[in-house]
Amino acid sequence: GPTISGFDIKKAVKNNTGVFTVYGSVLITFFLAGLVEPDVFSVENILTILHHMASLGVVAIGQTFCILSGTFDLSVGSVISLSNLLFSGTLYGRAQMLLPALLLAVGVSVVIGLINGLLIAKARINPFVTTLAMMAMAQGAALMYYTGPYGKITPAVKWLGYGKIGPIPVPALLLAFFFALGLIVLTKARFALHVYAQAQRSENSAHAIGHPCYLLCDGRHNRHLLLGSHGHRGSLLRCRC
């Protein structure tokens, strides 16, 4: 087939049909929308989309680790809400409480991820059941202690949600940072081998590279949290409130 500097285009398309289909559909939809409304192609509109979708993009990066390892996490939304409330409630407009608030939000999220991982890998509970139950518990905890929006952010935190560096929104830059971090981990770090091994749903493939399966699962869910979901996204959403 045709190649570009030794890269076989035909083989790449054949091996990644699903990926090309998804991205092709997105590009076609974007193009058709632009024909109806030319402003869709404007730089301002593209930057606005990046601004508002950055938090979802950060979550998607973290969720990628779960999907690559053959599972998923349904508790994301509820834990985001809980960490959001914890962060803003602890901060409450006090700049000196920024670090404790961030550590609390991220820490709670990491603990929840660890619990999910242990239940799935050690107790052999189905990921759907585990994360669905965790979703209900996190949502219940949020509703139990908070009856509505709570807390207050500082101007510096608000800048992270609404500020710009030149024409580029800060949330878009944060998304780019987490994307680069996730890409490096998945292509350069040894942890990626464990993620891909777990995706084979075989303990033998995991043990062959010297890593217990429960550590794969725990690491997968916690990496999901650290690279792009609960704690960071909760804080980013609070920045935009």
Side-chain angles (χ1 to χ4, degrees):
T3 62
I4 298 179
S5 299
F7 179 74
D8 192 329
I9 301 175
K10 185 177 180 179
K11 183 177 180 181
V13 172
K14 182 179 179 180
N15 293 338
N16 298 277
T17 304
V19 174
F20 281 98
T21 300
V22 170
Y23 284 106
S25 300
V26 171
L27 290 175
I28 291 173
T29 302
F30 186 70
F31 178 75
L32 293 176
L35 293 179
V36 177
E37 179 53 68
D39 287 342
V40 168
F41 295 130
S42 68
V43 175
E44 181 180 0
N45 182 65
I46 293 174
L47 290 177
T48 298
I49 293 174
L50 286 174
H51 181 195
H52 291 287
M53 298 304 294
S55 55
L56 183 60
V58 173
V59 171
I61 293 169
Q63 195 74 272
T64 297
F65 284 84
C66 283
I67 294 173
L68 284 177
S69 58
T71 184
F72 48 84
D73 190 343
L74 297 177
S75 64
V76 175
S78 295
V79 181
I80 286 172
S81 298
L82 179 60
S83 65
N84 193 357
L85 289 167
L86 291 172
F87 177 77
S88 59
T90 304
L91 183 61
Y92 217 85
R94 299 167 293 178
Q96 68 273 18
M97 293 300 294
L98 177 59
L99 183 58
L102 186 60
L103 290 176
L104 177 62
V106 175
V108 168
S109 301
V110 170
V111 169
I112 290 175
L114 178 62
I115 293 172
N116 281 338
L118 289 173
L119 289 176
I120 293 170
K122 297 295 288 183
R124 303 297 183 188
I125 301 176
N126 185 278
F128 179 88
V129 175
T130 301
T131 57
L132 181 64
M134 186 60 72
M135 177 185 73
M137 288 188 286
Q139 186 176 31
L143 294 174
M144 182 182 301
Y145 293 104
Y146 305 99
T147 57
Y150 180 76
K152 183 179 179 182
I153 61 175
T154 62
V157 173
K158 188 174 183 179
W159 178 81
L160 291 176
Y162 287 100
K164 293 183 177 182
I165 297 180
I168 304 177
V170 173
L173 294 174
L174 292 174
L175 173 60
F177 168 77
F178 284 115
F179 176 82
L181 183 60
L183 185 63
I184 291 172
V185 170
L186 286 176
T187 57
K188 303 296 183 181
R190 179 176 171 82
F191 179 82
L193 296 177
H194 309 320
V195 172
Y196 297 136
Q198 182 71 6
Q200 302 302 315
R201 299 178 181 275
S202 169
E203 291 190 16
N204 291 333
S205 63
H207 288 306
I209 58 174
H211 210 301
C213 282
Y214 77 92
L215 289 181
L216 296 183
C217 198
D218 294 345
R220 172 195 64 210
H221 279 272
N222 278 320
R223 193 62 60 98
H224 173 204
L225 303 178
L226 292 175
L227 283 183
S229 71
H230 311 330
H232 288 291
R233 186 177 187 250
S235 301
L236 182 55
L237 287 176
R238 174 51 61 182
C239 294
R240 294 173 55 187
C241 294

